[in-house]
């Protein structure tokens, strides 16, 4: 079975995107599924919520999106067995502006995620509360979309 890629998005903040991502990922990991959470929100709450200190990371989703660093270079194990995190960093806030002139800017996450699909059963993408280019990347990478309201 191919990995399921589920993007969790809503332009409104405070609707439970990150909470949904963390809880769904933890439940899937608990039943033995290999799960990757991709944290696209510059606030990094999915990362910190799973015990990843996103300050001082050598590589983060910023490097994956902006510098085409392979996503596996930034993946960190969480404290939950079978659950891994591609952490956000504050640098992602600048990525919105930096992506504007970039070639194929809406497909960068899709290409990065496709490279690691054989390693996971589920990839959950936690988006920021906006309809900017980071969320567009999350939607372009998705095979399914979950919209908490």
């Amino acid at each position: 079975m191919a990995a399921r890629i589920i993007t969790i998005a809503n332009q409104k903040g405070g609707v439970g995107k990150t909470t949904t991502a963390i809880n769904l990922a933890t439940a899937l990991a608990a039943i033995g599924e290999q799960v990757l959470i991709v944290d696209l929100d510059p606030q990094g709450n999915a990362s910190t919520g799973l015990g990843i200190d996103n300050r001082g990371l050598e590589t983060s989703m910023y490097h994956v999106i902006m510098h085409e660093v392979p996503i596996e270079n930034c993946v960190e194990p969480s404290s939950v067995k079978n659950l891994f995190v591609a952490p956000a960093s504050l640098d992602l806030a600048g990525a919105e502006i930096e992506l504007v002139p970039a070639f194929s800017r809406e497909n960068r996450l899709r290409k990065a995620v496709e490279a690691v699909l054989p390693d996971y059963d589920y990839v959950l993408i936690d988006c920021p509360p906006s309809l900017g280019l980071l969320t567009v990347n999350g939607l372009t990478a998705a095979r399914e979309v979950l919209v908490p309201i």
Side-chain angles (χ1 to χ4, degrees):
M1 178 177 108
R4 294 180 70 177
I5 306 168
I6 304 170
T7 292
I8 302 162
N10 188 326
Q11 69 180 7
K12 185 175 181 332
V15 295
K17 291 180 295 295
T18 300
T19 301
T20 299
I22 290 173
N23 288 326
L24 179 57
T26 301
L28 290 166
I31 62 170
E33 303 287 355
Q34 293 292 312
V35 183
L36 173 65
I37 287 190
V38 175
D39 191 353
L40 281 187
D41 189 343
Q43 294 178 50
N45 291 329
S47 302
T48 56
L50 287 164
I52 308 299
D53 182 4
N54 58 359
R55 291 171 293 176
L57 291 170
E58 279 190 42
T59 55
S60 69
M61 284 308 300
Y62 171 80
H63 301 94
V64 172
I65 297 286
M66 294 309 307
H67 302 295
E68 299 182 49
V69 169
I71 197 168
E72 60 266 24
N73 289 8
C74 82
V75 171
E76 300 280 340
S78 75
S79 58
V80 178
K81 182 181 176 188
N82 302 323
L83 178 52
F84 301 86
V85 182
S89 65
L90 284 173
D91 296 331
L92 272 175
E96 288 283 352
I97 295 165
E98 292 177 56
L99 278 171
V100 171
F103 177 74
S104 193
R105 62 185 179 224
E106 71 282 354
N107 291 309
R108 291 181 174 220
L109 179 62
R110 181 183 55 77
K111 290 176 184 173
V113 167
E114 283 176 353
V116 296
L117 287 182
D119 300 331
Y120 300 99
D121 300 305
Y122 288 86
V123 176
L124 304 180
I125 303 169
D126 184 34
C127 291
S130 72
L131 287 177
L133 288 170
L134 292 174
T135 299
V136 169
N137 265 270
L139 294 171
T140 302
R143 294 184 179 153
E144 302 171 69
V145 178
L146 188 79
V147 183
I149 54 172

